[in-house]
Amino acid sequence: QVQLVESGGGLVQAGGSLRLSCAASGDIFSIIRMDWFRQAPGKERELVAGINWSASNPYYADSVKGRFTISRDFAQNTVLLQMNDLNSEDTAVYYCASKKDDTHHYQSWGQGTQVTVSS
């Protein structure tokens, strides 16, 4: 079992920055990849960014490319999502999720953290 806990969300003005953290615990050796998703009210869940647990092969959705950076803190077993130049379209609940294999199945999800960008 893997447990994921997100933190770092909040209210920020347009153009501002936030850094989200996803702390993993439990059977972390089973993790091969961590992804960040977001879901805004009335919209489908969107894959925002992802990274292999080894910190290789980062992925970014076109909507965040150049503004968001995903990284891994090996000492803390944490995946970070640095979000810069935020705009109102980034307002959503952000979730991290872990994979243990290359299928589309996610082994664990965090509880989510709210990001609200005011214009």
Side-chain angles (χ1 to χ4, degrees):
Q1 291 275 1
V2 171
Q3 294 80 43
L4 303 176
V5 178
E6 302 100 333
S7 61
L11 174 64
V12 63
Q13 289 188 333
S17 299
L18 283 174
R19 189 176 75 167
L20 305 184
S21 296
C22 176
S25 60
D27 188 18
I28 61 171
F29 295 104
S30 67
I31 300 173
I32 67 167
R33 187 165 183 86
M34 294 282 279
D35 288 334
W36 280 98
F37 290 82
R38 67 185 180 187
Q39 188 164 24
K43 294 188 177 180
E44 292 188 356
R45 186 172 61 195
E46 174 189 18
L47 175 60
V48 174
I51 193 167
N52 285 346
W53 194 236
S54 61
S56 64
N57 195 24
Y59 163 84
Y60 299 98
D62 287 344
S63 57
V64 306
K65 203 170 290 184
R67 300 187 297 122
F68 289 14
T69 303
I70 191 168
S71 62
R72 183 182 163 199
D73 182 337
F74 285 86
Q76 301 294 326
N77 292 323
T78 298
V79 172
L80 306 171
L81 187 66
Q82 178 67 41
M83 307 187 296
N84 298 329
D85 193 22
L86 289 162
N87 58 62
S88 59
E89 294 186 352
D90 297 315
T91 295
V93 178
Y94 284 70
Y95 301 89
C96 61
S98 65
K99 282 189 176 182
K100 64 177 182 179
D101 52 41
D102 289 329
T103 68
H104 294 294
H105 174 71
Y106 287 89
Q107 65 181 156
S108 294
W109 290 82
Q111 82 287 353
T113 186
Q114 176 71 47
V115 171
T116 303
V117 183
S118 63
S119 56

